[in-house]
Amino acid sequence: MAEVYKRLFSPFKLGRQTIRNRIAMAPLTRQMAEADGTPTDEMAAYYARRARGGLGLIITEGTYEDNRLGCRAYLSQPGIVTARHVKAWKKVSAAVHAHDCKIIMQLMHGGRVSDPRVLGGKPPVSASATQSPGWTLYTDNDYEKKIRNIEGPWPKVTFGKARALTVKEIHAVADGFAEGAVRAVEAGFDGVEIHGANGYLLWQFINPKTNLRTDEFGGSPENNVRFARLVAEKVRKAIGKDKILTLRLSQDGVDDFVGAWPGGVKYAVAVGKALRNSGYDALHWASFNYLDNRDPDSDAPMPSVIRKASGLPMITNGGIADGAAAEAALKSGAADIVAIGRPIFAHPDWAYIVRSGQPYDWCAFDRKYVVRPPLDYAHAYPLGLVDPRWPHRW
């Protein structure tokens, strides 16, 4: 049978590694780890099922790499800090590799949008002393409580005022990323992604609306990106040149869903140029729709702009739900790899479905597929959801 989407199913060299096609699973927050951040067998079954479905690359959910300086962002978020974490993640990487799929771990620091219930009474940290106007995801309604089988109070969890990191602390956070990357490689991962998007700490530095610094880590696009470059330098030195290293970028955040960079495309060009020769193998653009650049003076897609300015391959996410849209993104120069997010929760065989070239009645997205997605029961057979007993006072 003739290949319908030839570029989508062609191999791609990412850094020094080759992935079998240009389909990545986007990082998707689930909060299903044990209370201490240890990944569960259910998580191994979740990732294995998606690898079995024909993906070329999996990027894990955001994982905290340090117990210091307010790194952790969520309750039941997986970590890569302890030997117990490493041992559990080895099950995940082995299960994914069994299906000829690469897997990289997304490392993140929550910054000013860390859930206060994980901060132990300490203020969050950020680029500057600012306060997010938002709240911890999904605590603003009871639907998440219902589908997770949680009993008791379900308060809306807002964020406290952040304090600005010192230059010494910025270097300590960057060291934490490097140490976490080493542990991810020990756990069998093919590399790591640094989370610089969606409102989290590196985003808070890159975005001029939240970075009010006047030192070498703020005040210009080049300075705003300096922290991300520092992380790349330290991580690359720690894990070597053979492992994949990517950086995720976005305009919007978990507390600013319609966010846009001041300066729009012009600022994106400056960010891209500042990331040239930075040690990253690729950049990863995250959005709800990659064609919507939120710049009234230009219609150029942000991933196309940043790809050209940086000279780096681009992983593109947002508004790509079927094979035709994926192939179009690749052919237009907006992507070298497409990252599929929400459709993968309900449709772990997305790649095979698309490759068939046949029409398909896709499920509408629902958070139920996040909490109870299709699993590979060879790795786990969970019979019911257990209330994680998340605290409701902080």
Side-chain angles (χ1 to χ4, degrees):
M1 185 176 69
E3 191 75 77
V4 180
Y5 304 115
K6 292 183 179 180
R7 187 164 299 192
L8 183 61
F9 288 96
S10 65
F12 184 78
K13 191 168 185 180
L14 183 56
R16 294 189 178 184
Q17 301 196 38
T18 300
I19 60 174
R20 62 174 171 167
N21 58 44
R22 295 169 184 250
I23 307 169
M25 173 180 163
L28 300 161
T29 299
R30 294 186 66 228
Q31 295 176 264
M32 297 298 286
E34 294 183 20
D36 70 348
T38 302
T40 62
D41 287 349
E42 186 270 355
M43 289 170 60
Y46 162 74
Y47 285 113
R49 182 64 187 86
R50 277 133 199 87
R52 186 186 292 274
L55 298 172
L57 175 69
I58 287 176
I59 308 171
T60 72
E61 61 210 280
T63 303
Y64 68 93
E65 68 280 349
D66 204 337
N67 278 327
R68 301 167 294 178
L69 292 170
C71 179
R72 188 179 175 192
Y74 293 104
L75 293 163
S76 298
Q77 179 187 9
I80 186 67
V81 180
T82 68
R84 189 166 185 254
H85 292 166
V86 171
K87 182 179 179 181
W89 276 118
K90 285 180 178 179
K91 293 183 180 179
V92 175
S93 65
V96 169
H97 286 150
H99 300 291
D100 191 26
C101 180
K102 303 289 187 184
I103 182 168
I104 62 176
M105 181 181 292
Q106 188 187 75
L107 302 178
M108 65 172 281
H109 188 303
R112 73 175 195 166
V113 294
S114 287
D115 188 321
R117 293 173 292 183
V118 304
L119 294 177
K122 297 179 180 179
V125 298
S126 187
S128 305
T130 61
Q131 184 169 5
S132 168
W135 52 86
T136 296
L137 286 177
Y138 314 116
T139 63
D140 60 326
N141 65 77
D142 286 344
Y143 187 63
E144 191 81 4
K145 172 185 175 180
K146 177 183 176 181
I147 63 176
R148 286 184 180 270
N149 198 30
I150 291 175
E151 299 179 356
W154 184 255
K156 184 177 181 179
V157 181
T158 55
F159 305 116
K161 185 173 182 178
R163 67 170 181 83
L165 286 166
T166 67
V167 170
K168 182 178 180 180
E169 288 174 330
I170 288 171
H171 281 267
V173 171
D175 287 335
F177 275 104
E179 292 160 8
V182 169
R183 289 188 288 269
V185 170
E186 181 187 349
F189 281 74
D190 300 299
V192 297
E193 175 165 279
I194 305 303
H195 204 342
N198 304 122
Y200 301 112
L201 182 64
L202 267 67
W203 179 95
Q204 294 157 31
F205 274 80
I206 294 169
N207 194 322
K209 293 189 291 186
T210 48
N211 187 344
L212 311 179
R213 302 177 75 97
T214 56
D215 60 9
E216 67 266 41
F217 289 100
S220 70
E222 296 75 22
N223 285 353
N224 294 353
V225 171
R226 193 180 303 278
F227 187 15
R229 288 187 64 100
L230 176 66
V231 172
E233 176 186 332
K234 289 179 179 285
V235 171
R236 180 59 78 195
K237 184 177 180 180
I239 65 174
K241 295 181 179 180
D242 291 336
K243 298 300 179 183
I244 297 167
L245 177 58
T246 67
L247 172 68
R248 197 177 210 214
L249 298 168
S250 73
Q251 294 191 95
D252 51 65
V254 292
D255 58 344
D256 187 9
F257 288 119
V258 295
W261 284 335
V265 165
K266 289 182 180 179
Y267 188 75
V269 170
V271 167
K273 288 181 178 179
L275 287 167
R276 278 185 174 269
N277 305 312
S278 57
Y280 292 108
D281 292 312
L283 303 177
H284 178 183
W285 183 253
S287 63
F288 291 104
N289 181 353
Y290 79 93
L291 293 171
D292 179 10
N293 69 10
R294 300 177 183 175
D295 183 343
D297 299 320
S298 172
D299 60 2
M302 287 299 197
S304 301
V305 169
I306 298 172
R307 179 176 181 262
K308 181 178 179 180
S310 67
L312 291 169
M314 181 63 70
I315 303 169
T316 299
N317 164 252
I320 302 170
D322 57 26
E327 190 80 355
L330 294 168
K331 287 183 175 180
S332 71
D336 296 285
I337 297 170
V338 293
I340 310 302
R342 289 181 170 184
I344 296 288
F345 278 127
H347 303 284
D349 296 313
W350 187 91
Y352 288 132
I353 295 169
V354 163
R355 195 167 200 176
S356 74
Q358 298 300 308
Y360 194 83
D361 186 13
W362 303 103
C363 294
F365 175 73
D366 192 295
R367 288 286 300 172
K368 290 174 182 175
Y369 294 117
V370 177
V371 178
R372 295 300 295 269
L375 303 174
D376 188 333
Y377 291 123
H379 300 279
Y381 187 50
L383 295 176
L385 286 171
V386 177
D387 185 347
R389 300 191 182 281
W390 288 343
H392 51 85
R393 292 188 179 90
W394 60 95

